[in-house]
Amino acid sequence: MSQKFNEIIKSETPVLIDFFADWCGPCKMLAPILKEVKEEFGDAIKIIKIDVDKNEQLAAKYQVRGVPTMIVFKNGEQKWRQSGVLQKDEIVQVIKSNS
């Protein structure tokens, strides 16, 4: 997973990583919001969901202490990071400012 993850985040297209857990209530609220964001941007963004319970090393590498945590990468660089649920408009603004 780590090798593939590194390839994904090196994309020139912004990549939003959603670190989540199945048991996390707020994560379930975030899922349909991210779906709307993806529909708005189409191929201009990649959204990848990472289950922290199945990918503990990746979560530790990026010091994910709470879920949901979203991180935006572009060209392999972390451009933005936020824990908790944001509304669609807030996420859209973040993506536009990092495109």
Side-chain angles (χ1 to χ4, degrees), residues 30-82:
L30 184 60
I33 295 170
L34 291 179
K35 188 174 181 201
E36 289 178 23
V37 170
K38 178 63 178 165
E39 286 170 2
E40 180 162 328
F41 284 96
D43 292 337
I45 186 168
K46 294 178 186 168
I47 298 178
I48 311 290
K49 295 176 71 64
I50 303 285
D51 185 332
V52 294
D53 292 327
K54 294 177 182 161
N55 298 282
E56 291 177 9
Q57 286 182 317
L58 212 47
K61 179 179 179 182
Y62 290 99
Q63 300 174 337
V64 175
R65 306 221 191 298
V67 286
T69 293
M70 293 176 283
I71 304 177
V72 173
F73 291 93
K74 187 173 180 185
N75 297 319
E77 285 183 41
Q78 181 175 313
K79 297 293 190 180
W80 175 87
R81 176 188 184 119
Q82 178 75 42

Side-chain angles (χ1 to χ4, degrees), residues 78-91:
Q78 181 175 313
K79 297 293 190 180
W80 175 87
R81 176 188 184 119
Q82 178 75 42
S83 293
V85 176
L86 295 180
Q87 296 307 310
K88 178 188 171 198
D89 294 345
E90 296 171 299
I91 298 170

